[in-house]
Amino acid sequence: MDRLFFRPMTAGDKDEVRALHEKWFPLRYADAFYDGAAKGEYAGKPVINCIATDVAGKTAGIIIISFMSANGCGENDLIVDKERYPRVAYIMTIGVCDAFRRRKVGSRLLRWGIERAASDTSCGALFLHVITWNKAAMRFYARNEFRYVRSYPRYYSIDGREYGCHVYALSLNGAALCEGEKGLGWGLGLGWLWSTLQSLGSSLLHVWSTPPKIGAGDSDDVSMV
């Protein structure tokens, strides 16, 4: 396993982080996203991030996570006891550079995110959305103990085509996740999250205009949520 170093993003990393996101993601993030990631706050919500590098300082991968209210995260039925766990964490982006694929970089970045999110004892879950055709990402999160929560049939609009998504979540700090299909559809909660995505200028995951062909061997370090 490669030796990796983990450090936070700074304002000086903005150009490189932007270039990698534009390579990984087909849509463009607004400047406010990169500024917020570097400053640790976006849309009034705390943001944490990590850049993984090799011993020479070359970037291997990036993860960006936002913290938000369990009542205002767009998945209001995610946690059973929201009084005890009033916050949740959301994986905004995670990506691995081509030269570091299939070397467990994605798993180690995800583990970093899990540990950081769990260090906030008021945080009851880490969650994300996965486009429905992305079987490799689903296997990746399932191997890392994320649980399928629910689906939305028309969550993303990409190049004039609509795609559904699955919600995956990991319980943190002993919180219980709600059981069954209890999504709010396009109600107030999810609508708030979608408006935030639109303000970013991109979707939350690495999506091509047509589904890519991903082999089983690529399933650990795909550059997508």
Side-chain angles (χ1 to χ4, degrees), residues 27 42 45 68 72-75 90 127 129 131 152 154-159 161-165 185-205 207:
L27 304 179
Y42 179 77
K45 296 173 176 59
M68 58 193 70
C73 69
E75 297 292 341
Y90 184 70
F127 78 104
H129 297 88
I131 201 164
Y152 296 105
R154 293 177 298 277
Y155 191 77
Y156 299 103
S157 179
I158 303 166
D159 294 338
R161 298 177 63 185
E162 293 184 334
Y163 297 87
C165 81
W186 290 97
L188 177 61
L190 190 58
W192 174 89
L193 182 56
W194 183 244
S195 67
T196 299
L197 306 195
Q198 290 177 313
S199 72
L200 291 176
S202 180
S203 63
L204 290 188
L205 71 164
V207 181

Side-chain angles (χ1 to χ4, degrees), residues 38-133:
K39 293 176 181 177
E41 180 178 330
Y42 179 77
K45 296 173 176 59
V47 174
I48 60 172
N49 63 74
C50 178
I51 297 178
T53 69
D54 66 7
V55 293
K58 184 177 180 180
T59 296
I62 302 167
I63 186 170
I64 301 175
I65 295 173
S66 177
F67 288 86
M68 58 193 70
S69 166
N71 282 318
C73 69
E75 297 292 341
N76 290 0
D77 292 322
L78 196 61
I79 299 173
V80 174
D81 188 354
K82 288 181 285 188
E83 291 187 3
R84 182 177 178 183
Y85 302 101
R87 301 220 305 172
V88 295
Y90 184 70
I91 298 177
M92 302 180 78
T93 62
I94 179 171
V96 177
C97 296
D98 290 345
F100 293 89
R101 296 287 185 88
R102 302 177 67 179
R103 291 159 68 174
K104 301 297 183 182
V105 175
S107 295
R108 292 162 74 181
L109 278 170
L110 182 61
R111 181 54 50 186
W112 177 93
I114 292 169
E115 291 175 355
R116 287 295 303 272
S119 68
D120 179 351
T121 57
S122 70
C123 184
L126 177 63
F127 78 104
L128 63 135
H129 297 88
V130 179
I131 201 164
T132 50
W133 50 254

